Amino acid sequence: MRTAGKSWWLGLFLTASCALAASVDLRNAVVVARVEAVPEVERTAVTVLVEEIEKRSGIRLPVASQAPSSKTTVSIASGVTVPGGRPEGYRIHIEQAGRTVVKIEGVDARGALYGVGHLLRLIDWGPNRLEVPAPLDVTSSPAYPIRGHQLGYRPTANSYDAWTQAQYEQYIRDLAIFGTNAIENIPSQDERQSSVMKTTRREMNRAMSLICRRYGMDYWIWLPVEFDLRGPAGKRRAAMLKWFEEYLRDTPELTGVFVPGGDPGNNPPELLLPYLAEMARLMRPVHPKARIWLSMQGFDKGKAEYVYQYLERESPDWLGGLVAGPSSPPVAGTRLRLPGKYKLRLYPDITHNKICQFQVPELDQAIALTLGREAVNPRPVEYARIHNWFAPYSDGFISYSDGAHDDVNKNLWSALAWDPSRPVRDVLADYARFHFGPEVAAGAVDGILALERNWHGPLAENGGVEGSLLQWRRLEAQAPKLDSNWRWQMLLLRANYDAHVRRRLIQDSALEKEANAVLGRAGEIGSERAMGEATRILDRVASEPVSADLRARIFELCERLYQSIGLQTSVGKYQASGAERGAVLDFVDLPLNNRWWLEDQFASIRQLPTEAEKVARLKTIACWEDPGPGGFYDSVGNFAKAPHLVNPAVDPIELEDDRIEPLFWWWDQGKSRARLSWQVTMWPRELVYEGLDANASYIVRSTGYGKALLRIDGERVLPTLDGQKMGEFAEFPVPAKCLKDRKLVLTWDIPNDEGHLNWRQRSRLSEVWLIKR
């Protein structure tokens, strides 16, 4: 039973056949470790095995340098020749001739540590229970040499900045158990000492380097050049190089320095590359093996071409390679142009959910408004596909992460970079077994997959959200001992929060519909009475709460997460660095209808001079989404209200222009009072209408910002009304010839003359009506 580099099937096989297979009882085993001339990482591997077993079973295995004659032993060694093994690889096998020996043999010291991690993921553990399945003989080596995560100790992180050195070490250990071999810190950006930090930036920078040394991890830093190299930046340049020189002397281990070309930073490569060479000159005497890495984030074709030609012409030895991150040139093209001596590292954003590199497909606006950009976000199926699509172009990855909320995603990427053939369910089973225990592992896997599906498609129509909550409630009742486990707490938070948002969305939508019906009768009952009754209807959200129990549970879990892992879910209560930085508690009561907008409209309407004007405006508001008989309405970025949108789910792998996926705008720190349909925009690929009246007259009406370059059945149509501010109408007549087949296809040309504008000032589309006249 041997494999080379493909051990994924083992856990699956053992799970399916555990009732039939034998097992080895390790409760009385002795760990046999070498004592002379042993690499530090091998000693760490022994410590990890003993301590992690004790945490889970209460059993502390003794360590000896010689194997006892009668007891079961677990031996750990590195520098062993493993057939087919590559660097960092290992073999785990059980010998049962006479006494039982579980052997962990690493090709190198790292291999010994990763072999220990594999064994820990296999063990069936519990109170006074410690068994490993047998027979067992597996050989495994990683597919990609770079497998890492950014754990920047800086104030903008939503949890890392609250950690102690011990918490950092435990987290790095946990990642190593799943195959991670690189950690990237952010040692200098934003020099603030946040109120939750327990140690200085300098102390933590040094501590992280030492932790990585103990675990054999590569230690990287992310170091942007945020000042303008083109201007009079002499003082800032000198200060930064002086800081860098001091940092190098203060850092025991350093593997790579990643300098983003943009986001942040906006220097042309003809100035940036010589600056990087100067950094390398300072680094060489202190860390001769370390290299500089550059990303081309935000580079246009001309800037990217300059970099490629520079590398071909100068071939600098100080450069380790290029990094492909958000807003970088296409990965395949970069790999093709990159000279063979350089590596290509991915920098995937696995931490954000919207306005990001890999936005959640078909994300409901209610989720985007409340859970936002940095909520707990297990996305195993999506990220498995994304990893396995881009990884073959690369030498591996170090992810972009800003907190512990993406923990599932981190472990998935590490596991797949070790072996891309592993099924997602197998990776999750390892994760759940190791962190939660064998008894609930299968149910937790189902629960994690369910949380990912909660975010796909119209939320109000997704009854599976309630099923996810029931699943996690059953698991919670089954495993009360996991009450203090922060990973468990995060998943429970998501299950409760998703259901809370869905229940509130359904209620808020119904209340707005009821209020609009009253506003539509303003001509009969008077404008003031209509607005008063509508307000009382909308206010029932407070007097008749539909989710008080879930809301209370959310507050409880957020408090526990702050205490257990420093997760900052509120700006005011838990010192989150910003509302968009995972502060989900601050949005738990956010209106999921247009209540705020209606309140502001009522205030404006009361200032109108005549009753007739007031009634007319109220009628417009009441019928805003009602296109009239024979008409249709789409809020193009809100999939729940866009029935005519073709192919609404934008595949992040195929995405060439992010303007064709929904853009969830972040106005007023997430508390915008604008109409909800204006807070999400998109250039749709197509809106298609069928079964129209061939003898009728139609107009297309739209709202958005800037230009709306409409085509009807491929033909450009000019507007008769050309509102270009948000909330103003643009109107286009439908040519009679287009109605002969009773079908219309609407498309929009994306303006190509706005490249000089900031993305926030570029044209966008929010709503479309097809109105029958």
Side-chain angles (χ1 to χ4, degrees):
M1 192 161 69
R2 296 280 299 275
T3 68
K6 292 190 177 181
S7 61
W8 64 263
W9 57 269
L10 184 64
L12 189 63
F13 171 80
L14 293 169
T15 300
S17 61
C18 61
L20 299 176
S23 60
V24 173
D25 189 341
L26 298 180
R27 287 178 297 175
N28 297 308
V30 174
V31 176
V32 178
R34 302 185 300 168
V35 294
E36 295 181 3
V38 179
E40 183 178 16
V41 180
E42 185 179 327
R43 293 197 300 270
T44 299
V46 174
T47 300
V48 169
L49 180 66
V50 171
E51 291 182 353
E52 296 304 317
I53 283 177
E54 184 178 21
K55 290 175 187 175
R56 286 157 178 77
S57 67
I59 301 168
R60 186 171 185 87
L61 301 182
V63 179
S65 59
Q66 298 292 328
S69 59
S70 58
K71 286 194 172 185
T72 297
T73 60
V74 180
S75 67
I76 301 173
S78 65
V80 179
T81 300
V82 174
R86 300 186 299 277
E88 302 185 333
Y90 57 82
R91 181 189 179 195
I92 308 173
H93 59 110
I94 298 176
E95 295 179 356
Q96 293 181 295
R99 63 184 178 87
T100 300
V101 181
V102 180
K103 288 189 174 183
I104 302 171
E105 300 170 333
V107 172
D108 46 30
R110 280 186 179 182
L113 178 62
Y114 297 132
V116 164
H118 192 144
L119 183 66
L120 287 169
R121 301 196 312 266
L122 288 179
I123 288 175
D124 181 9
W125 55 267
N128 199 35
R129 187 176 82 254
L130 199 62
E131 298 177 350
V132 62
L136 176 62
D137 191 346
V138 57
T139 300
S140 188
S141 297
Y144 296 95
I146 305 174
R147 307 177 304 280
H149 303 283
Q150 191 179 83
L151 309 179
Y153 186 67
R154 61 172 178 168
T156 48
N158 66 34
S159 47
Y160 301 144
D161 56 333
W163 289 4
T164 63
Q165 294 179 20
Q167 284 176 303
Y168 256 107
E169 176 162 5
Q170 183 62 55
Y171 195 65
I172 290 171
R173 173 187 291 190
D174 291 346
L175 291 173
I177 286 167
F178 282 79
T180 298
N181 73 347
I183 298 298
E184 187 165 78
N185 188 19
I186 301 176
S188 70
Q189 194 200 39
D190 191 347
E191 293 295 335
R192 292 176 299 143
Q193 186 79 8
S194 76
S195 59
V196 300
M197 283 182 167
K198 299 176 178 63
T199 187
T200 66
R201 298 285 291 277
R202 181 178 182 181
E203 289 169 341
M204 189 62 83
N205 291 342
R206 181 173 175 81
M208 289 179 70
S209 176
L210 289 171
I211 292 167
C212 287
R213 172 189 282 179
R214 286 198 295 275
Y215 287 80
M217 296 270 196
D218 292 341
Y219 181 64
W220 294 58
I221 61 171
W222 180 83
L223 197 64
V225 181
E226 298 186 78
F227 53 89
D228 192 346
L229 292 169
R230 288 167 291 200
K235 289 185 178 180
R236 291 198 64 185
R237 179 191 186 109
M240 185 63 188
L241 291 174
K242 180 181 179 183
W243 174 91
F244 185 56
E245 195 168 14
E246 292 173 352
Y247 175 82
L248 293 171
R249 289 196 299 267
D250 204 35
T251 302
E253 294 288 331
L254 186 65
T255 306
V257 177
F258 165 28
V259 178
D263 190 23
N266 190 31
N267 287 295
E270 57 266 28
L271 296 179
L272 183 59
L273 287 164
Y275 178 80
L276 300 185
E278 194 169 354
M279 291 176 62
R281 180 181 58 80
L282 297 174
M283 187 169 65
R284 191 174 299 114
V286 189
H287 297 285
K289 294 183 180 180
R291 293 293 180 268
I292 304 288
W293 293 65
L294 171 68
S295 77
M296 298 190 290
Q297 290 171 260
F299 281 22
D300 58 21
K301 291 182 179 179
K303 291 180 179 179
E305 184 62 30
Y306 183 94
V307 172
Y308 296 138
Q309 291 187 13
Y310 175 91
L311 297 183
E312 291 168 359
R313 181 180 66 252
E314 302 295 332
S315 189
D317 290 333
W318 51 261
L319 187 75
L322 295 182
V323 178
S327 303
S328 292
V331 174
T334 302
R335 176 80 277 175
L336 185 66
R337 293 295 306 276
L338 190 61
K341 68 181 285 187
Y342 299 115
K343 294 180 179 179
L344 179 60
R345 179 199 125 182
L346 302 178
Y347 182 44
D349 180 354
I350 65 172
T351 208
H352 293 130
N353 310 315
K354 66 173 187 175
I355 320 176
C356 60
Q357 183 182 21
F358 303 121
Q359 181 165 285
V360 176
E362 295 187 278
L363 184 64
D364 191 283
Q365 188 181 21
I367 295 293
L369 287 168
T370 53
L371 283 153
R373 200 162 182 250
E374 282 187 14
V376 176
N377 64 345
R379 296 170 58 186
V381 174
E382 293 167 26
Y383 278 132
R385 181 168 180 264
I386 289 168
H387 173 274
N388 287 348
W389 181 271
F390 289 111
Y393 298 108
S394 76
D395 296 280
F397 76 94
I398 298 179
S399 73
Y400 172 23
S401 170
D402 247 336
H405 65 285
D406 56 18
D407 186 66
V408 170
N409 303 333
K410 288 192 189 84
N411 286 278
L412 178 95
W413 275 76
S414 293
L416 292 181
W418 188 283
D419 184 354
S421 70
R422 294 192 70 188
V424 169
R425 191 173 186 87
D426 180 44
V427 176
L428 294 180
D430 276 4
Y431 181 88
R433 187 186 305 109
F434 179 72
H435 290 300
F436 306 142
E439 292 84 358
V440 296
V445 170
D446 290 337
I448 292 170
L449 293 170
L451 292 178
E452 181 176 23
R453 291 191 294 271
N454 280 0
W455 283 5
H456 288 186
L459 182 63
E461 300 172 13
N462 188 355
V465 172
E466 293 291 339
S468 299
L469 177 62
L470 289 174
Q471 171 73 354
W472 281 103
R473 282 179 168 173
R474 282 194 294 265
L475 289 168
E476 190 177 12
Q478 184 181 349
K481 65 181 182 298
L482 292 172
D483 182 67
S484 59
N485 183 307
W486 64 264
R487 291 179 172 90
W488 192 254
Q489 292 167 353
M490 286 202 305
L491 298 171
L492 289 174
L493 175 62
R494 260 294 307 282
N496 282 272
Y497 206 119
D498 289 356
H500 172 70
V501 174
R502 181 173 182 269
R503 292 179 190 182
R504 290 192 55 248
L505 173 63
I506 293 170
Q507 182 190 40
D508 279 9
S509 301
L511 292 177
E512 183 175 359
K513 183 177 181 181
E514 188 178 342
N516 282 335
V518 171
L519 296 177
R521 295 173 52 228
E524 305 169 29
I525 65 176
S527 63
E528 190 60 40
R529 180 181 169 188
M531 289 186 286
E533 289 190 15
T535 298
R536 285 190 289 275
I537 290 168
L538 295 169
D539 286 347
R540 294 207 318 254
V541 70
S543 60
E544 302 173 10
V546 295
S547 189
D549 58 331
L550 296 183
R551 183 180 184 277
R553 183 65 171 138
I554 289 166
F555 273 79
E556 179 185 357
L557 287 165
C558 286
E559 172 65 24
R560 292 185 180 183
L561 280 161
Y562 182 68
Q563 299 300 331
S564 62
I565 200 63
L567 190 67
Q568 298 142 43
T569 55
S570 170
V571 174
K573 191 175 177 67
Y574 299 123
Q575 296 80 55
S577 63
E580 78 281 14
R581 295 286 182 174
V584 298
L585 197 59
D586 294 344
F587 297 91
V588 73
D589 297 318
L590 188 78
L592 300 177
N593 57 19
N594 289 298
R595 175 159 61 94
W596 284 353
W597 181 74
L598 287 170
E599 290 172 355
D600 294 344
Q601 290 295 304
F602 293 166
S604 298
I605 288 169
R606 288 188 171 99
Q607 303 303 313
L608 295 176
T610 68
E611 177 68 6
E613 289 175 284
K614 295 176 182 179
V615 168
R617 180 58 182 165
L618 288 174
K619 183 177 180 181
T620 298
I621 291 171
C623 300
W624 189 274
E625 296 181 7
D626 181 1
F632 306 95
Y633 170 82
D634 290 83
S635 175
V636 294
N638 183 352
F639 299 136
K641 293 185 175 182
H644 301 93
L645 184 62
V646 175
N647 295 326
V650 179
D651 189 335
I653 289 174
E654 300 174 357
L655 184 63
E656 296 178 356
D657 190 325
D658 59 12
R659 288 174 292 179
I660 66 172
E661 72 174 352
L663 175 55
F664 298 98
W665 291 88
W666 181 258
W667 297 330
D668 303 321
Q669 292 301 299
K671 299 290 181 71
S672 173
R673 298 177 70 89
R675 188 171 179 84
L676 293 184
S677 54
W678 304 342
Q679 295 184 48
V680 55
T681 61
M682 184 175 75
W683 290 112
R685 287 171 172 166
E686 290 182 338
L687 292 181
V688 177
Y689 307 86
E690 298 188 88
L692 302 177
D693 185 345
N695 299 313
S697 175
Y698 290 87
I699 65 166
V700 174
R701 174 184 291 169
S702 66
T703 61
Y705 178 86
K707 303 173 185 178
L709 307 179
L710 174 66
R711 291 183 181 271
I712 301 179
D713 291 349
E715 181 180 325
R716 274 289 302 277
V717 180
L718 298 178
T720 56
L721 184 66
D722 194 19
Q724 296 198 8
K725 294 181 180 179
M726 189 60 76
E728 294 182 347
F729 294 137
E731 292 187 351
F732 307 80
V734 176
K737 64 180 181 179
C738 296
L739 292 164
K740 291 182 179 180
D741 61 355
R742 304 176 63 205
K743 177 181 178 180
L744 291 179
V745 177
L746 307 186
T747 56
W748 284 261
D749 293 344
I750 300 177
N752 58 11
D753 59 350
E754 298 180 339
H756 63 289
L757 297 176
N758 181 280
W759 62 274
R760 295 174 180 85
Q761 277 73 54
R762 294 177 185 174
S763 298
R764 50 190 183 268
L765 185 70
S766 58
E767 300 169 287
V768 177
W769 295 258
L770 181 63
I771 299 173
K772 183 179 180 182
R773 289 291 174 91

